[in-house]
Amino acid sequence: MNNILQTIKTLTEINSPSGNAEKAINFVKDIAEDLGYQTELTNKGALIITVDGDNQSQQRCITAHVDTLGAMVKEIKENGRLAIDLIGGFHFNAIEGEYCEIQTESGDVYTGTICLHETSVHVYKDNHEIPRDLEHMEIRIDEKTNSVQETKDLGIEVGDFVSFDPRTQITTSGFIKSRHLDDKASVAMIIELLKKIKQDNINLPHTTQFYISNNEEIGYGANASLSNNIVDFIALDMGALGDGQSSDEYTVSICAKDSSGPYHKGLRSQLVQLCKLNAIPYKVDIYPYYTSDATTALKAGADIRHGLFGAGIESSHALERTHIESIEATQNLLYAYCMSQISK
């Protein structure tokens, strides 16, 4: 658990909004290659780590994504501040008051704060009624700039990527709270599994591709470069918590259906049986406003059995939180699944 938590913390501190995830991809790639695994970078920048198994003709793909929510500079305003456009499915209220970093084309990084233009209650009496939207939200840059030209002189331009401070903390009560647990918690679990397979000299029953995608938050992550031998495709991604949901922060969440429709019934049943056989605490749930890389692979034409499970993540796409018990349950199901036979 300590290794996974520290890997999560390291990953969340690597800025990787969709479209600018190379550093996070290379972080995972370096670890996999140091362990001796075969890796491949796809044309769109995703990472595939192949672990050979006994059965080469019936293979698995397990995907998790290192790309995160973020933003991009849309306009340099007359006051020198920045208007931004959002990357990924969330709203401005989730990042109001957040510290951020702007990465320029030359690689320079500037810090700032995402503010409502009319933030000061001493000046704007009814600012609580102002919509948090593109018109009113802006980045206050931590530099002396009061004009378009002064900001441009810093090297900041339209199209520069904006990343949010993850604010990662691990509490003594066993919680980990941070932005971007979706889906860096899952990537950290895959890294620890790869270490275990190598250190314990484990032989998997099926050749498995671990697909680390870099565009999941914008809808087209692990849906290409898939082997024709893949039978099972698992999206290792967060469980969505809230009113009416059965999932929690202390179990592994197995998705029966999301906004795209039901997941493969046989594969879902296999995951449930693995939890029962291995005394893994689990919940089966439906995520009403959610899609995964497993569903995008289906839409791209992959002939696969698709499934989804992951740690229960509170406050998704905002200041997220989960507990080590949920991470442990998810890690145990991941291991049990990889060691099982494909059941058709």
Side-chain angles (χ1 to χ4, degrees):
M1 279 294 97
N2 285 337
N3 288 341
I4 292 175
L5 294 179
Q6 289 305 314
T7 302
I8 292 173
K9 190 173 189 301
T10 300
L11 272 169
T12 57
E13 291 171 350
I14 300 173
N15 292 335
S16 56
S18 298
N20 194 30
E22 291 88 354
K23 287 184 179 179
I25 286 287
N26 287 332
F27 173 82
V28 182
K29 180 175 180 287
D30 289 345
I31 291 175
E33 290 180 348
D34 287 345
L35 291 169
Y37 290 109
Q38 173 188 336
T39 66
E40 172 191 355
L41 287 175
T42 69
N43 288 331
K44 63 182 178 181
L47 173 66
I48 298 175
I49 305 163
T50 301
V51 180
D52 290 331
D54 293 334
N55 191 327
Q56 300 281 334
S57 61
Q58 292 184 316
Q59 300 182 10
R60 289 183 163 119
C61 181
I62 299 173
T63 183
H65 63 93
V66 292
D67 65 305
T68 69
L69 306 175
M72 187 174 280
V73 175
K74 183 182 184 297
E75 175 191 357
I76 301 175
K77 304 174 74 172
E78 292 299 322
N79 61 3
R81 297 187 178 190
L82 305 175
I84 58 174
D85 200 22
L86 302 181
I87 297 173
F90 67 112
H91 302 287
F92 278 102
N93 66 290
I95 56 172
E96 183 176 1
E98 190 60 86
Y99 294 161
C100 64
E101 292 185 347
I102 308 104
Q103 181 180 330
T104 69
E105 185 67 26
S106 64
D108 292 331
V109 175
Y110 295 97
T111 62
T113 305
I114 300 170
C115 302
L116 180 70
H117 177 77
E118 303 89 350
T119 289
S120 177
V121 297
H122 296 95
V123 178
Y124 305 99
K125 177 183 177 182
D126 298 321
N127 67 350
H128 61 286
E129 297 177 358
I130 296 172
R132 273 58 178 168
D133 57 18
L134 178 62
E135 180 181 354
H136 296 279
M137 300 297 290
E138 63 188 15
I139 293 178
R140 180 185 67 199
I141 309 168
D142 299 328
E143 300 290 334
K144 294 181 69 174
T145 173
N146 295 289
S147 68
V148 172
Q149 191 58 51
E150 286 178 337
T151 296
K152 285 189 172 184
D153 288 345
L154 296 172
I156 296 174
E157 296 285 354
V158 171
D160 287 344
F161 283 93
V162 177
S163 301
F164 312 138
D165 185 344
R167 296 203 277 171
T168 308
Q169 292 185 16
I170 302 168
T171 72
T172 56
S173 54
F175 287 99
I176 179 165
K177 53 185 184 178
S178 175
R179 290 193 182 276
H180 314 319
L181 295 180
D182 169 26
D183 189 33
K184 292 184 174 181
S186 298
V187 176
M189 286 185 246
I190 287 177
I191 288 172
E192 292 308 313
L193 176 62
L194 291 172
K195 290 178 180 178
K196 180 178 177 62
I197 290 170
K198 188 64 64 172
Q199 291 166 1
D200 294 349
N201 198 27
I202 294 171
N203 198 42
L204 297 182
H206 295 270
T207 292
T208 302
Q209 285 188 356
F210 292 93
Y211 195 128
I212 310 301
S213 72
N214 61 332
N215 286 305
E216 193 274 348
E217 294 292 2
I218 52 177
Y220 56 95
N223 62 346
S225 304
L226 301 178
S227 167
N228 291 330
N229 292 325
I230 291 173
V231 177
D232 281 5
F233 187 108
I234 292 287
L236 190 66
D237 211 333
M238 66 169 186
L241 311 188
D243 294 341
Q245 300 298 106
S246 66
S247 300
D248 56 39
E249 295 175 85
Y250 314 105
T251 60
V252 58
S253 179
I254 300 172
C255 186
K257 176 185 177 296
D258 66 13
S259 61
S260 67
Y263 282 76
H264 191 277
K265 182 176 181 295
L267 183 52
R268 191 236 302 178
S269 296
Q270 182 182 358
L271 295 172
V272 169
Q273 289 304 311
L274 287 170
C275 287
K276 292 179 177 179
L277 288 172
N278 293 279
I280 300 170
Y282 75 97
K283 298 289 179 61
V284 176
D285 213 347
I286 290 174
Y287 311 152
Y289 309 110
Y290 188 119
T291 57
S292 74
D293 271 345
T295 58
T296 61
L298 276 183
K299 291 176 182 178
D303 183 16
I304 52 173
R305 306 191 322 160
H306 71 312
L308 166 62
F309 67 89
I313 304 294
E314 168 65 26
S315 300
S316 63
H317 283 195
L319 292 170
E320 299 167 343
R321 191 185 77 167
T322 192
H323 194 271
I324 60 172
E325 291 177 5
S326 185
I327 293 174
E328 183 176 28
T330 305
Q331 184 77 2
N332 288 341
L333 178 55
L334 176 62
Y335 177 75
Y337 170 72
C338 286
M339 295 305 297
S340 69
Q341 296 288 336
I342 287 178
S343 176
K344 295 189 70 176

